[in-house]
Amino acid sequence: MAQAAERGHRRRSRSPVPGLRTRLTLSYVLLFAIVMASIGFTFHQALVVISHQQAERLLDADWSALKGFLRSRDGELVWAYDPEHPEEAFTVERLRRVFLLTAADGEIVEMSNGYASIGREPAETVRAVLQSGRTVTVKRRDARGEIYMVRMGPYGGAGKTYFAAIGMSAGDTERIPSRMLAVYAVSMPVMLVAIGVLGWYAAGRALSPLQRVVAAARTVSGGNLSLRIEPLGTGDELDELIETFNGMMERLEANFEQMKRFSMDASHELRTPLTAIRGQLEVAQLTAKSTEDFRRAIATALEDVERLGRIVQSLLQLAQAEAGQIRLNFEPEMLAEVAARQMARFQPLADGKRLSLELEAGDGCMALVDRLQMERLLDNLLANAVKYTQEGGRVTVRVRREDGEAVIEVADNGPGIAPQHLPHIFDKFYRVREGERTAGRGVGLGLAFVEWIARAHGGRVSVESEPGKGSTFRVRLPAYRESSEEARSG
Ligand code: ADP
C-alpha cells in the first residue's frame, strides 16, 4: 500500500514540468513555422508579381521598338535599319530571335527558329487576336520546358493588317521566386531546429521557478513547515504562485502549531485531574483508617472526575460545533432581554463578591440569533468577568447598534490581560498563568466557544484589555433589517 503510494508519487512528480517545457517549446516552433511560412508565401507572391511586371515592361519596350524597325515599304513589310550601326543591328537581331509575323489568315510571313521551337500560333488564335484589335501577353513553353513570354497583336503596315508576335525567354525571371522558395525550404528546417533549441532553453529558464516550487512542495512535511521560497521580485504569475505557496505554508504552519499546542494542552488538561484522582485514591488505600477517610478521598476524587467529565464534554461540543454538527435555529431576539436574563443568573455570584453588575441597553437592539448559543456566549463572558474581577469591582454589559451592526460588550475593571496573551486568548485551553487560581479554575475552552458562536452568527469577537484597568470583550453581529424590527416592536 505504502509502496504503491510511493510509486504513484514518483511517477506524478517527474511528468508535469518537462511536459510543460516540451509543450512550450513546440508552441514556439509551431508559431515560428507559421510566421515564417506566411512571410515566405507573401514574399514569393510579391516576387512572382514583380518579375512578371518586369517581363511585361521589357516586352512593351520591344513591341515599341518593333514599330520603329519593321516598316512598310513598297507594299511590303521590311526590316528597316542600318546594318552598319552596331546598336540597331543588335536590337533588330534580338527582336527577330523569337519572332512571328503572319498575314490575317494565319499564313506565315516570317517565323524565327526561336518561335518555331515554341510552336506556331494556330489560325484561330490569330483570328481572335486580330478581332479583338488589342495586344495580349501570353506564356509559352518550348520543347525543353523553357518558359517564354510572348506579346502578340495586330500589326498594321503596307495597307494590310498583320499578326505579329515577339517573345522573350522568361526563364530567369520565372526562376527567381522558385529559387527563393528552394532556399527558404532548405533554411526553414535549420531555423526551426535553432528556434526549438532556443525555445527549449527559454522555456527551461521560465519554468525553473516552478520547479523550485515543486521541489520545495515535495519536501514539505510536518517537520519543516517554516519552509518559504524566495520570490523572484518580478511581480509576474510565477511570483504570485510563490507568494500563494508561501501564504499557504504560513497558514499550514499556524494551523499545525495550533493543533500541536492543542493536543499538548488537551493531554495535559486531562492528565492533571487523572493524576490527582490516582494520588488521592492511592493515599486513601495506604493510609485511610476509617470509612470517613475513604469517603473524603472518594469525594475529592469525584470532584476531579467531574472536572474531567466537564473537559471531555466541552471538547466534544466544541468538536461538534467546529464540524458543523450543531444545528442553529436563528430567530429575531432583543439582545438586551437575553443579556438581562443571563445577568440575573449571575447576580447571586456577583453579590457574593460585592460586584456591581450593570446593563446599558439603549433601544434593546434586535438581532437574528440562536437563543441557546447566544445565552451560552453571554454566560461564558459573564462567568469570566465575574470570576476574574476582584471584590468590589464592576461588570458592565452594553448592548447597542453601531454602523448597522449589533454590538454586545462585556466590560470589567478586573486585572486585565497582558498584551502578549491577547492574540491567544481565544485558543483552546489557553489560559493566562498569573490570572489562574486553582479554585474555580476554568477549563480554558470558554472563549474558544465564544469565538465559534460569534462566527456561527456571521459575526466576530474582539478584546481590548489593559493590565490593571480591566477588559472589554466585544461581540459584533450582522445587522438585522430595521423593517422587521419595527414590525415586531410596533
Ligand atoms: P477559562 O475557562 O480559563 O476562563 P477562557 O477561555 O474563558 O478559559 O479564558 C481564557 C483565559 O483568558 C482565562 O484563563 C483568563 O486568564 C483570561 N480571561 C478571560 N476573561 C478574562 C477577564 N474578563 N479578565 C481577565 N482575564 C480574562
Side-chain angles (χ1 to χ4, degrees):
M1 174 76 184
Q3 269 178 354
E6 175 70 13
R7 266 205 304 279
H9 170 76
R10 282 221 196 103
R11 200 178 313 130
R12 265 200 313 277
S13 69
R14 218 174 293 137
S15 72
V17 175
L20 198 53
R21 189 177 188 181
T22 312
R23 285 211 299 277
L24 267 178
T25 310
L26 285 180
S27 313
Y28 290 150
V29 172
L30 188 69
L31 195 72
F32 190 76
I34 291 173
V35 170
M36 289 299 285
S38 339
I39 292 178
F41 178 75
T42 315
F43 203 57
H44 177 258
Q45 290 306 100
L47 268 184
V48 167
V49 170
I50 289 170
S51 38
H52 194 82
Q53 278 173 346
Q54 198 180 348
E56 287 250 14
R57 260 200 307 277
L58 286 175
L59 273 179
D60 271 348
D62 279 0
W63 190 261
S64 305
L66 188 68
K67 298 239 165 94
F69 293 113
L70 190 63
R71 297 209 209 115
S72 54
R73 191 182 291 161
D74 305 332
E76 259 187 85
L77 277 177
V78 291
W79 291 99
Y81 65 104
D82 178 4
E84 302 298 316
H85 195 293
E87 231 174 82
E88 283 189 11
F90 176 76
T91 310
V92 170
E93 193 193 323
R94 189 165 56 79
L95 290 175
R96 296 178 77 179
R97 204 174 290 152
V98 184
F99 178 71
L100 173 71
L101 186 71
T102 73
D105 58 2
E107 192 191 323
I108 294 171
V109 179
E110 180 181 334
M111 179 160 78
S112 69
N113 288 339
Y115 210 103
S117 75
I118 60 174
R120 51 173 296 190
E121 297 303 327
E124 48 279 17
T125 311
V126 172
R127 217 172 6 236
V129 169
L130 290 183
Q131 251 167 23
S132 78
R134 276 195 251 126
T135 57
V136 286
T137 307
V138 293
K139 269 187 195 176
R140 294 278 185 267
R141 268 175 207 279
D142 69 6
R144 283 178 294 134
E146 181 87 21
I147 297 170
Y148 286 81
M149 296 277 283
V150 178
R151 167 70 51 99
M152 53 182 67
Y155 195 89
K160 282 201 277 180
T161 302
Y162 292 87
F163 168 87
I166 47 171
M168 55 177 269
S169 162
D172 287 342
T173 36
E174 281 290 318
R175 266 194 290 276
I176 292 174
S178 45
R179 278 218 192 103
M180 174 247 147
L181 263 194
V183 172
Y184 215 69
V186 172
S187 54
M188 194 86 148
V190 179
M191 283 193 283
L192 287 184
V193 169
I195 282 293
V197 172
L198 273 177
W200 180 257
Y201 173 74
R205 267 185 67 97
L207 289 176
S208 72
L210 204 61
Q211 270 164 331
R212 278 202 294 148
V213 177
V214 171
R218 213 177 283 156
T219 59
V220 170
S221 70
N224 65 349
L225 286 172
S226 57
L227 185 124
R228 301 285 181 278
I229 302 170
E230 190 67 33
L232 305 170
T234 49
D236 59 7
E237 287 85 349
L238 282 170
D239 247 9
E240 203 179 322
L241 174 72
I242 291 176
E243 267 152 33
T244 311
F245 175 84
N246 285 345
M248 181 194 76
M249 289 300 291
E250 222 156 89
R251 288 194 299 279
L252 264 182
E253 192 180 17
N255 274 352
F256 198 72
E257 279 306 310
Q258 206 177 350
M259 257 172 56
K260 236 168 39 186
R261 216 174 30 236
F262 169 73
S263 33
M264 261 162 57
D265 290 346
S267 28
H268 178 77
E269 289 301 322
L270 294 174
R271 208 181 46 211
T272 315
L274 269 178
T275 318
I277 294 167
R278 187 182 172 162
Q280 285 144 14
L281 294 182
E282 274 173 0
V283 170
Q285 190 185 31
L286 293 176
T287 61
K289 304 231 165 41
S290 61
T291 327
E292 191 49 38
D293 286 346
F294 276 118
R295 190 165 286 148
R296 245 198 324 273
I298 289 171
T300 5
L302 268 180
E303 258 173 44
D304 279 316
V305 168
E306 249 163 51
R307 182 177 160 72
L308 212 53
R310 271 207 314 277
I311 296 176
V312 172
Q313 169 87 355
S314 298
L315 266 181
L316 207 65
Q317 282 179 344
L318 206 53
Q320 279 176 335
E322 283 172 351
Q325 284 172 0
I326 294 186
R327 265 202 46 189
L328 298 181
N329 187 16
F330 292 105
E331 270 180 42
E333 290 275 353
M334 261 317 184
L335 289 180
E337 283 173 18
V338 185
R341 259 199 319 272
Q342 293 318 104
M343 287 167 79
R345 292 188 48 220
F346 281 91
Q347 198 60 57
L349 215 60
D351 288 345
K353 275 181 92 175
R354 291 190 296 107
L355 293 176
S356 82
L357 203 54
E358 282 163 28
L359 175 66
E360 294 174 8
D363 67 347
C365 204
M366 185 75 81
L368 213 53
V369 297
D370 178 291
R371 193 162 54 84
L372 224 64
Q373 299 300 339
M374 199 40 63
E375 283 174 0
R376 177 182 229 163
L377 176 144
L378 279 163
D379 258 8
N380 288 353
L381 291 180
L382 280 167
N384 279 350
V386 169
K387 181 163 64 180
Y388 296 112
T389 306
Q390 55 277 48
E391 294 218 351
R394 191 177 61 240
V395 174
T396 314
V397 177
R398 297 185 198 101
V399 178
R400 65 168 186 279
R401 189 173 290 282
E402 200 176 275
D403 303 331
E405 283 178 319
V407 179
I408 309 171
E409 272 178 12
V410 179
D412 63 56
N413 61 350
I417 303 159
Q420 71 268 27
H421 297 301
L422 284 179
H424 309 290
I425 210 84
F426 296 98
D427 290 354
K428 298 181 194 89
F429 293 122
Y430 193 87
R431 282 195 301 251
V432 181
R433 296 301 158 193
E434 63 253 23
E436 189 181 287
R437 271 173 228 114
T438 342
R441 212 176 68 153
V443 172
L445 293 172
L447 288 181
F449 258 117
V450 168
E451 186 174 41
W452 175 77
I453 294 168
R455 284 230 189 108
H457 280 77
R460 58 197 188 278
V461 60
S462 60
V463 59
E464 264 170 36
S465 187
E466 208 179 313
K469 293 223 168 123
S471 320
T472 302
F473 286 85
R474 187 171 299 123
V475 178
R476 289 174 184 277
L477 301 176
Y480 181 65
R481 275 186 301 121
E482 293 287 339
S483 55
S484 24
E485 190 168 339
E486 273 160 24
R488 201 182 133 103
S489 55

